[in-house]
Amino acid sequence: MRSVALFGALAALLALPDVLAVKSHDFKTCSQSGFCRRGRALAARAQEAQSSWESPYWVEPSSISVSPENSTIKASVKSSLYPEIKFGLELRIHDDGVVRVLLDEVDGVRKRYDEAASWALVSEPKLSKSIRWAVGKKELRAAFGKKNDIEIIVNYEPLHVRLRRGGEDQIVLNGRGLLHMEHFRSQTSKETVEEVASDENGEGQEVLQTENVRAWFEGDSEDAYWEEKFSTWTDSKPKGPESLSLDISFPNHGTVYGIPQHATNLSLPSTTGDSPSYSDPFRLYNTDVFEYLASSPMSLYGSIPVMHAHSAENTVGVFNAVGSETWIDISYPTKKSTHTHWISESGIMDVFLLPGPTPEEIFAQYARLTGTTALPAHWSLGYHQCRWNYVSSDDVRTVQKRFDEEDMPVDVFWLDIEYAQDHKYFIWDHKTFPDPIEMTNDVAAAGRKMVVIVDPHLKRTSDYPVYQEASDLDILVKPKSGEGEYEGWCWSGSSSWIDHFDPASWDWWISKFTTTKIDTGFSWTESTEDVHIWNDMNEPSIFNGPEITMPKDSIHYGGWEHRDVHNINGMLFHNNTAQAVRVRSDIPKRPFVLTRSFYAGSQRVGAMWTGDNLGTWDHMAVGIKMVLANGIAGMAFAGSDVGGFFGNPEPEMLVRWYQVGIFSPFFRAHAHIDTKRREPFLLEEPYKSIIRDILRLRYSMLPIWYTAFRENSVTGMPIVRPHYVMFPQDTAGFNIDDQFFVGSSGILVKPVTEKEKTEATVYLPEDQVYYDYFTQHAYRGSSKGKHVAVAAELHQVPVFIRGGSILPTRERPRRSSPLMKLDPFTLRVALSKAGTARGELYLDDGITYSHQQGELVWREFVAEQPQKKMTRISSKDLASQNPTKAVDGVALTAYDPKNAFAKEIEEVRVEKIVVLGLSSKPSAVKLESGADLKWEFVPGVAASDKQEGTASVLSIKDPKVLVTADWAIVIS
Amino acid sequence: MLWLLLLLPLQALGAAEKTLGVPPDLISKYVPSKSNTWTCLDGSKEIPWDYVNDDACDCADGSDEPGTGACPNQPFYCKNEGHVGSFLPSSRVKDGLCEPNCCDGSDERPGVCKNVCQEVGQVYRKKVEEENKIRKTGSKIRSTYIAYAHKEKKRLEGVIETSAAEIAIQEKEVVRLRDIAERSESLSAAALELKQQSPLYISLITHSNALKSLQREHKKYLQREKELGNILDALRTGYNPNYQDMAVLEAVRGWEEIAGLPHINDVGKDSVSEEEAGIEEDTASEVAETKEEVDDEMWTAEELDKDLDDLLNTDYVTLLLEHDEYVQSVPEGSVLFDIASYLPDSIAPQYEEFKDTLVSWLVNLGIIKGETPSSTDTSRSRQALTDAENRLNKIKKEKEDAENDLKEIFNIHGYGLEGQWKKLDGTCLRTEVGDYTYEVCLFGEAKQIPNKGGSTFSLGKFASWNPSPDVKPGDDTYYGKQIYNRGTRCWNGPERNVVLLLSCGTENTLNSVVELEKCEYQFTGTTPALCRPLDNSEGKNGQYANAGKDEL
C-alpha cells in the first residue's frame, strides 16, 4: 500500500499541472461540517413545514426586568423542546440607536464563549438614557431615535425580535423560527438513554417517542454531536453540540453586502432559495486557502461578521459578534427582501442591529462599536515592493538602485520569510544578510522603509530564544489535553504558536521588538525603527492541521477551545505586533503592520491584503470587489497583491494590475518564489514607462489618499467607496463593484481588468458633469444614470473628476513620499453644473502622534459664484472650525493654525491652479488681496453646458499662495 | 551712477539663477530675447524671460526649469567644480537630500548641502587611479593571454601539420592491412559462415544480445532511480511547505522510508548531509549482507557493474574459432597442418599451394571438414587492421580538434578577436556561499557542490556570451556576461542556469553567487581578460561623459 501511495504521489508530483487550482478537498463544505449540516437540515425542515413551523423558543413574560436606566431589558427564554434548560435574553439600546441582542444559556453544564465582542469592540458602548419600554402581554417594545421613528419589538411566543422604522420591519431575528441554541449536555446522559432503549423495550419506546417529539425541529439523529472526522483528522468535541442557528431577515431590503472575506461580488449572491448562485453557504472561518477561486463562498484568511442590507429607501446593518466558525446562507425570496441564516459552531448570541438609515450612518454606528482605521503612517500609502524573496542585503540594495536609476518612486522594500535563518523570525540569516542594520540604513537614506515578515509559528528548537522564552513562560497554545505545547508543522518545521489570548504573552511579545538590548531576554537589536512588520500566516496557517489550520480542540488561555476563538486569533497577534512597533521608540511612532488574518476591529490595528491571489484577470477583477467589501466592513486599509502572487503575468496584465493597485488603499506588488522577477524596471518599453507614469500618478495623488484616510479615521467612511455608498437611492448602482470613488474627493475610477481592451464603459450615476482626469473631456451624466464609453488603451486608466470637486495633488516626481514634504501643490478645480466646487486637504507629520496634539493642517478649498460672471476660489482652515472632528479618538478643544507642523511646511505653496469648466474666458484673475495673477485660458465646453467635449481650462500660474494660509482668488 | 553699481551684481546674480542646472553646452541658449522673452528649447512656446527657473513649469519639454525641478524629466546639471559635472533627474532637485553626485549641493535649497566636491573629487580620482592601476596590471596579464593564444595557434598549426603527415602514412598502412585482411577473410568467409550456423553459436549470440538488452534496460532504470532519488533528496531537503501539500509530505516520508533516511524534521536541514554520510555506510553494509545470500555462481551487483561490460565485449567469432580448435583438438590436424613448420622456407609457398589443393580435394571427398588453418590468421590480420584504423581515426580526431580549436581562438564569438580568452578555457573558479561551493569552469560547466556531502548539481554548460540583441558582439558588455544553461532540472522548476558577470580584475576570481529566481543563478567574478589597455584619451574626457551618462 505504501509503495502504491508513494507512486501515486510521485506521479502527481511529476505531472504537476500548469493549471493552478484550489485544493477544495482540503476544506470542508457545509455537508462535511456537522453543525452546518444540522443548521441547514433545520432550515430544510422549516421550509417543508411552511406555515405550520413555529419556533420552540418563547419568552417568560413574568421574568422581564427593565434596568434602572431603562436602556436594558432582561428576560428568561425557554425552549419547548427542553423545558428544563434556561436561556437568558438581554436587549440593550445604545445612545446612537444601535440595539444589542444577547442570548445565552443560563446555569448550563458549561459556559458558552462570550468574549468575542470584548475583542471586537473599541470600548464599552454608551447606553441610551431616554428609552421607555412598554411591556405588554404579548410583546414588549420601545421607540427611540432622533425622530422617535425606530421601534424595537420583542414578541414573546414565539420569540422574535424586530427592528422597525416608519412602521415597517427592517431587521427580524428568528422571524423564520430557525433560532436554535444547542444547550450543553453530558455525553453520559446520551449513553444512558441508549442503554435504556436497548434494555427495556417499553421505556425505550418512550424515549424514542420523546426524541420524536423533538425530531420535527432537531431531526432524528445526533449528527456529529461528540466527534467529527474530516480527512485524516478527528475533532474530539469534548463539549458536545453547542452550535447557534439564527435567521436574520430583511423584509424590505433586496440587496446585502459585507461578511468579508470572500472572493465574490460586492452585492452578495444567493446560496439558497430558487436557483442559488452558490450551493454552499458563505463561510467565515479564517483559513489559508492555497490558490483560492476567484468566485466562491469559501472562507478565506479573515472574517468580519458584519452585513449591510440596502434598499433605495434605507440601509440597515447587523454585526454578529461571533468568533467561531460561521456559515451564512443568503436567499432573496423576492426582489425586495432578503433572508439570511447564520450558523455558528459555538458562542453566545451577541447581535448588534444597526438602524442606519443611510450607509453613512451605518459606517458611523459600526465605527462607534469597533473603531476606525488608525490613521496610517503617511509613507505606508506609497508603493510597496515585495517579493518572496529578495535574497540578500545586496539584492535589496540593487533593487533600490534600479528603482532610482529608472526614476520610479517606491517607499518600502519588503523581506519575506527567507531572511530568517531556518525561518526563525527575527534571526537574520547572516550568510545572505550579513549587515541588516546597514542595509536598512541604506534604504532609509532615501526616506524609505523596510517591512520584514514575522510569522506566528515559532520553530521548536532550544536555540531559538523566542520559542524558548515562550515555552518557559508557558504562553504557548496547548494541545487538546490542555497540557504541554501544541505542535504543528509550518515554514519553520515543527512549530508552536503563542497564545495571544493569554495576557502574559502581551508585554513579553512587545518587548521582542525593542531595538536595543533588554534585561529580560531576546530583543531585536538587529533592527531599527525603519523596520516595520508583516504578520502573515496568522489564521493560523498550519500545514498539517485540519483545513490547514489549528485543531479546534486545542486549548487557549482560560480553557477556551480554539473553536471558540478561531476567527479572532489572527487579530490578537496583529494587534500585539502593532503595539510593539508603536512603543519601541522613545516617541511613539505609527506602526505599519500588515496582516493576512483579521476580524471585526482589526482596522484599528493596521492594513490587510487579500492573500495569495493568482496572476489572472479574474483575480485582478475580484481583488477590487474584495477591497470594496473589506472597506464597507470597516477594514479600509486593504489591497491585493499587484501582479498576482502566483504565476507570471504578461506585461499587459502587469500594467493593468498597477492601474488597479494605485487605486487601492494599500498598494503592494508581490510575487511567489517560483515566479520570474517582475519589478517594474525589468519591463521592456513601452510597459516600463507606462508603469513609471502609473507610479507617479499614485504619488501625485497621495494628498487625496491621506485626506481620505483622515476622514475614515474619524467617520468610518470607506477609503474606496462603491456606488451604493455614494448614491444610496440609485438602484442601478447597487450591483456595481467594478468602479468606485476615492474617499470624498470626487475621483471616480474604473480600472480595466480584461485583456486587450481599448475602451471602457463607465456608469455615471447623476445629472452632473464628470471630467476625464487626463484629457479634461467633460461627460454628462443623467439623473436616471448613464453609461459612457471612454478610451482605455493600455496606458489609459479611466479616471474622472466629479463636477464640484477640488483635488489637491503634488505633481513633482520624487524617489519616495517623505521627500515630497516641501513640494508645492496643484489644485484641480472641477466646477459643477452650478459652477461650484469643494475639496479638502489634510496633512500632518505622517509619522508620530503629534496630530493628536493638534499638530496638523486641515484645509477646505471652495469655489463659488458670489455673483454672476465671477468665480471665487478660497482656502479656509477646517481644523479651527471643527477641532473636535479633526482627529480620531481625540476631541481637540482648540486648534492653533501656527502649530509646529504647520510651521514646518509654512513655505509650501500652491504652484498651479487649474479650473475646469468656466463658461468664458476671464477678464481678470486676481488675488482677492489685489495682486494680478498670470494665467492662460484654453476655451472649451463649460460645466453648465449640455454638450460633451473638452472642457475649458484656466491655468493659473504660480499664484504664490501658501497651503497653510487663508487666501482667495477671484476670477471675473 | 551709484544705482548702476548696485544693479550690476544683482543682474549678475540673476543670470546665475537663470542658468542654474544648465549644462555648459546649453548655457549660450539661456539668454533673453530683446523683448525679454525666451523660447522653449523645443520651440513650442515663447515665454517671458522671468518664467525661466521661476519654479513653475511652463514649457512642454521642461526646458524653462533646468534648475528647480518644477518640470518632471528635466535634467539638472550639477557643475561639481573640483570634481566632474553630472546630471541629476529633476526628482532629485530640492528633495532635501544631498546627492553624492551633486557634491556642490547646487540641487538643494541654499544651506541644505555643503559643497564637498574637493573631498569627493579626491576620493573619486583616487578610485579612478586605483581602477586604472588594476586595469594596467590586468591588461599586462591580458597581453600574456593574447600571446598564449598566438603560441597556441602555432602549436595547433603544428599539430595539424604533423597529423596530416601521419594521416598520410597511416592511411597507406590501413590500405595495406585491409588488403591482407580481406584476402585472408575471403578465404575463410565461407567456412566461418558455416561455423556460425552452429546452434551453440547462435544461442550464444542470442544470449549475448539478451544480456546486452538487459544491461541497457538495467542502466536505464539505475539512471532513472538515481534521478528520482536526486529529485526526492532535493524535495526532502528543499521541501517547501508553501505548497501546503500533504501529498508532498507523504512523498518525503515515503522516500525516507525507502531510502532509510531519518525524517528531515528530526535531523534538520543542516545536519542532513552528515546523517546521509552515515546512512550511506549503513546501506552499504546492508548491501554486503544481501550479497552473502546470493548463490556462489550468481554475480553480485558490484560484479555486474564492473565485469559485465568486459564479458559483453567478448569477440564471439574468435571464441567460435577457438572453440572449434579446442573441440577438434590436436590429433586431427597435427601432421597435415603442421607440416609447413617442418619445411624449409624456400619450399613453403609451394607447399601452401599444394596444401590448399589437397585440403579442398579432401573436403570435397568429405574426408575432412572445410576447416582452414588460416582462421586465426584472419582474426589477427583483422585485429591489425582495426588497430591501424583506430590509430588513424585518433590522429584525424586530433587534427579535427586542433582545427576546431584554431577556428575558435580568434573568433569573436569564441575566445575573442584577440584570442584573449583562450588561456582561460577550462580554468575553474570557485567560491563558497552558505552550504555550497559554486564552481564554474570557463567555457565548460558550472556546478553547485554541497560542502557537507550530497549530490552535486550541474548549473549548466557554457552556451554563449551576452545574448542580448542590444549588445554588440566583441565589446566589453558582450564579454562581460557568459550564459551557462541546461543544468539539472529543478523540482517543479526550470533547468538550472547561470549568468556569469565578469569585470576587469588582476585575478581570475569568482566573487559572489546569488539565486535571484528559483534555479537561476547570478555569478560575479573578475578576470584580466577584460582589462583592455588604457587609451590615452580615457581617464579625462571619458570620465566626464560617463559620469553624465550614468545618471540619465
Side-chain angles (χ1 to χ4, degrees), chain A residues 231-352:
Chain A
S231 186
T232 58
W233 294 276
T234 301
D235 177 5
S236 65
K237 292 199 179 179
K239 294 190 287 179
E242 53 169 323
S243 77
L244 172 66
S245 157
L246 173 67
D247 64 276
I248 304 176
S249 301
F250 307 100
N252 290 297
H253 297 89
T255 312
V256 289
Y257 307 101
I259 55 167
Q261 185 183 27
H262 299 102
T264 189
N265 294 341
L266 181 67
S267 157
L268 294 167
S270 62
T271 63
T272 50
D274 291 338
S275 52
S277 302
Y278 298 125
S279 55
D280 247 26
F282 286 100
R283 187 186 191 199
L284 294 177
Y285 188 61
N286 298 350
T287 37
D288 180 1
V289 180
F290 183 69
E291 292 175 352
Y292 62 80
L293 298 169
S295 171
S296 167
M298 281 174 75
S299 66
L300 286 172
Y301 312 93
S303 300
I304 304 180
V306 67
M307 183 182 270
H308 290 194
H310 183 73
S311 73
E313 284 72 44
N314 69 49
T315 315
V316 292
V318 287
F319 168 44
N320 183 358
V322 58
S324 66
E325 179 184 351
T326 297
W327 299 78
I328 303 150
D329 263 324
I330 295 173
S331 65
Y332 299 101
T334 67
K335 274 187 181 171
K336 295 198 163 172
S337 62
T338 308
H339 284 169
T340 69
H341 180 203
W342 303 58
I343 311 160
S344 305
E345 185 169 18
S346 72
I348 63 164
M349 176 178 139
D350 191 354
V351 178
F352 298 78

Side-chain angles (χ1 to χ4, degrees), chain A residues 32 313 347 422 461:
Chain A
Q32 289 168 315
E313 284 72 44
D422 298 332
T461 56

Side-chain angles (χ1 to χ4, degrees), chain B residues 456-477:
Chain B
T456 292
F457 286 122
S458 167
L459 302 184
K461 291 194 170 134
F462 177 74
S464 72
W465 295 105
N466 192 340
S468 165
D470 304 335
V471 171
K472 199 173 139 228
D475 68 13
D476 286 353
T477 42

